[in-house]
Amino acid sequence: MSVRAGASALPARPEPTCTCVVGLQWGDEAKGKLVDILGDQHDFVVRYNGGANAGHTIVWGDRKFKLSLLPAGVLKPHLKSVIGNGVVVYPPRFLEEVEQLRAAGIEVGSNLTLSDRAHVIFPHHLEEERLSESGGEGAIGTTGRGIGPCYQDKVGRVCGVRVGDLLRPEALRERLRFIVPRKNRLLGALADGRESRTFDADQVCDEYLALGEKLRPHVVDTTHLLLRGLGDGKRILFEAAQGTLLDIDHGTYPYVTSSSSSPAGIWPGSGVPAHRVGRILGVVKAYSTRVGRGPFPTELSDGPDGLGERIRKTGREYGTVTGRPRRVGWLDIVATRYTAALAGADEIAIMLLDVLSCVNELSICTGYEIDGRRVAEFPADAYSLDRVKPVYESHAGWGGVDVTGAQKLSDLPDAARRYLDRIQQLLGLPIRVVSIGPDREQTIFI
Ligand code: IMP
C-alpha cells in the first residue's frame, strides 16, 4: 500500500447517522415522548448516562409507561435498546422494569442489551448516599438511587464493579471481600454516631451473583455492538437522561448529577464518536422546573396560592422517581441559550405548552443582573447564580384556552404562537416540535 501526501489521502468521513435527544434545562423536559416518536426512524436507542434516577413517562392512548433505567426505546421490540457503559445500574431495578413491561404485554428479550462495562450499584452505595444526604449541610437533594456513590467508585477505581464482573463468581467474591469491609468502615465514619447499616461480603456476593445470572441474557459488549452497527449504516438515537444544566462539568455544580448529561457524554458513555451524531434535538419545557437543591434564577416562590403552585398542579410537576414536588419557574433564555450552544442543538422541541393555558400573563427571562450589573452569559458557579436577578419581558397568555387538541400551529391561539415565535427568535434556533399534551398524538411537527 502506498501513502500519498495531501488531504486526498484521507478517506471521507462517513455520514453522521445518529441523533441525540437532550434536555436543555434541569431534566423532566418530557424527552421520553420524543424518544418514543423518533425511535421509529432509528435502529438503536441508547442510554449513555445516569441510572435509575431518570423518569421517563410515555403515554400511548390510555396506556402509561414509567421508566427510570431502561431506555424509552424498549417499548418497541423491533428496536435494539442499549444501556451503554456510561450508565450505572442497580440490577434489582433493571429486572423490576423488565418484569413490569412483560406484565404489560411488552416483549423484552434480546432487543434489550446492557453493557458489560456499565458500573453496578450496590446496597452500600444506597446507604452511603442516605447518610450523606441526611446530614443536612452538603446535601444535594439527590434521588437517593445510589448514583453519586457509584460514579465516585467508578472514577476512584478502587471499589468499582462492572456488570461483566457479576458473571465471574470467583473474581467477584474476591473483589467484594476487599470492597465491603472498606465500605463498612466508611459507612461507620459517615454515620458519626447515627444508626447505619453494614454489609456481609459473602451475602452481597451471593445476591449479586444470582442477579448477574438473571442479567446474563442481556449483557454484551455494547461498544462493539454499536460500532458494528455504525459500520453497517445503522441509525442510532441517543437518549440523554436528566438535563444539560445537571451535567457534572457544565451544569450548576455542585447541584448536578454525577454524569455527563449533555451530549458530551455520548462518546465516553457509549463508545460512539461524537462526529457520528449529526442531529441534536434540544428539548425545552415551555417553562422551567427543577427538583432537588441548587440555584434556580427564575423560580416562582409565590406560595400556595401563587402561579408556581398553579403551574405545578396543572403540569403535574411531581418527580417521577421520588414524587417530590418540582420547583417551578419561568422560561430562562440565558440558561437555555447556554445549554443549546453547549449541547450543539440544531433544533428545538417545546414541550408542555398546554400547561401554560392556566396563566393569563407569561414572563420570559431574557437577561441576568448580578449586583446591579447586566451579565450576558450564564455563570457556571452556584455562588454567582444564587445572586442572579432575572430580567423579564412580559407576554399576554392565552389563559383558559385549551390547546390540547391542536393539530397544527395555526390551530393555536395567537398569543401562543407569539410566545413560540419569541422563544425561537431569542434562542436563534428553529422550533421543530411543539407538544401540547402527554399523548404522542398531541404533537405538532413544524
Ligand atoms: P442524583 O442524580 O440522584 O445524584 O441527583 C442529583 C440532582 O439531580 C438532584 O437535584 C436530583 O433531583 C436531580 N436529578 C437527577 N435525575 C433527575 C431527572 O431525571 N430529572 C430531574 N432531576 C434529576
Side-chain angles (χ1 to χ4, degrees):
M1 188 175 101
S2 67
V3 178
R4 283 181 296 132
S8 59
L10 289 173
R13 275 203 159 161
E15 283 293 307
T17 50
C18 308
T19 302
C20 178
V21 172
V22 62
L24 298 185
Q25 292 154 310
W26 283 282
D28 308 312
E29 298 93 350
K31 300 176 287 290
K33 169 173 167 171
L34 294 173
V35 172
D36 183 46
I37 294 171
L38 290 176
D40 292 333
Q41 301 163 19
H42 294 82
D43 303 292
F44 290 90
V45 176
V46 181
R47 263 197 65 179
Y48 61 88
N49 78 298
N53 51 348
H56 287 168
T57 306
I58 296 119
V59 181
W60 292 349
D62 56 5
R63 302 180 76 189
K64 197 181 217 177
F65 303 93
K66 282 181 187 283
L67 299 170
S68 63
L69 175 60
L70 304 187
V74 74
L75 297 175
K76 311 235 173 95
H78 62 280
L79 296 175
K80 290 217 167 299
S81 287
V82 176
I83 297 184
N85 59 282
V87 175
V88 287
V89 177
Y90 186 51
R93 183 70 204 158
F94 178 99
L95 296 166
E96 216 172 278
E97 288 194 8
V98 168
E99 276 320 307
Q100 270 169 18
L101 290 174
R102 286 185 181 147
I106 306 283
E107 205 183 301
V108 186
S110 58
N111 58 311
L112 173 63
T113 54
L114 167 60
S115 169
D116 55 358
R117 295 178 215 176
H119 274 249
V120 178
I121 297 178
F122 285 93
H124 53 250
H125 289 129
L126 303 175
E127 184 65 355
E128 190 177 332
E129 184 168 17
R130 185 186 72 79
L131 291 168
S132 309
E133 284 287 301
S134 57
E137 210 175 316
I140 305 287
T142 67
T143 59
R145 295 289 175 99
I147 307 298
C150 184
Y151 277 117
Q152 263 165 244
D153 282 345
K154 169 181 175 174
V155 177
R157 296 155 300 163
V158 176
C159 294
V161 173
R162 310 205 286 188
V163 166
D165 298 330
L166 303 183
L167 308 179
R168 291 183 275 272
E170 280 171 24
L172 181 70
R173 195 167 300 277
E174 194 180 323
R175 190 131 177 81
L176 287 174
R177 282 181 179 169
F178 163 74
I179 292 171
V180 173
R182 245 179 114 95
K183 286 288 171 181
N184 285 338
R185 288 196 295 279
L186 171 74
L187 295 174
L190 281 175
D192 195 20
R194 289 176 295 161
E195 216 170 285
S196 78
R197 293 179 68 191
T198 51
F199 300 93
D200 176 79
D202 284 311
Q203 208 179 327
V204 173
C205 182
D206 293 340
E207 192 190 323
Y208 272 69
L209 284 175
L211 291 166
E213 279 314 307
K214 291 187 181 158
L215 296 181
R216 189 185 282 277
H218 303 282
V219 179
V220 294
D221 181 334
T222 55
T223 304
H224 280 303
L225 177 77
L226 294 173
L227 294 177
R228 273 197 309 273
L230 281 180
D232 295 341
K234 302 287 188 215
R235 293 152 305 170
I236 303 176
L237 179 64
F238 288 99
E239 171 182 330
Q242 291 79 50
T244 299
L245 288 169
L246 289 175
D247 186 279
I248 181 73
D249 286 286
H250 304 290
T252 53
Y253 191 90
Y255 301 101
V256 291
T257 192
S258 294
S259 66
S260 301
S261 50
S262 69
I266 292 177
W267 199 337
S270 72
V272 171
H275 68 267
R276 304 303 298 265
V277 183
R279 184 177 171 203
I280 294 180
L281 176 61
V283 188
V284 181
K285 207 179 260 194
Y287 47 96
S288 302
T289 59
R290 154 160 225 173
V291 239
R293 293 179 59 192
F296 184 179
T298 63
E299 181 167 15
L300 280 160
S301 313
D302 49 2
D305 299 320
L307 288 180
E309 183 58 23
R310 198 186 306 166
I311 296 175
R312 180 179 304 117
K313 282 209 173 110
T314 312
R316 288 181 289 277
E317 294 291 359
Y318 301 90
T320 318
V321 173
T322 59
R324 289 178 290 180
R326 294 182 185 137
R327 298 158 65 194
V328 173
W330 296 122
L331 182 61
D332 183 339
I333 293 294
V334 183
T336 313
R337 206 186 269 141
Y338 162 68
T339 49
L342 184 75
D346 307 293
E347 50 199 357
I348 297 290
I350 298 290
M351 312 302 282
L352 291 115
L353 186 75
D354 52 301
V355 173
L356 291 182
S357 297
C358 72
V359 294
N360 293 322
E361 194 176 288
L362 302 164
S363 297
I364 302 180
C365 167
T366 54
Y368 283 177
E369 269 180 15
I370 298 179
D371 301 334
R373 282 214 319 273
R374 196 67 184 238
V375 177
E377 291 178 338
F378 186 77
D381 65 288
Y383 176 73
S384 304
L385 272 171
D386 255 341
R387 289 172 19 250
V388 159
K389 194 168 165 290
V391 177
Y392 288 114
E393 61 179 38
S394 295
H395 290 262
W398 51 98
V401 181
D402 178 6
V403 297
T404 55
Q407 306 272 319
K408 49 192 182 318
L409 270 190
S410 54
D411 295 339
L412 292 174
D414 287 351
R417 289 210 307 275
R418 276 198 299 274
Y419 185 62
L420 293 172
D421 281 348
R422 184 65 180 141
I423 295 171
Q424 180 164 268
Q425 185 188 37
L426 287 165
L427 291 179
L429 285 167
I431 295 174
R432 297 280 188 224
V433 183
V434 179
S435 175
I436 33 107
D439 199 277
R440 60 181 285 161
E441 303 303 325
Q442 293 173 300
T443 314
I444 301 170
F445 295 95
I446 303 163

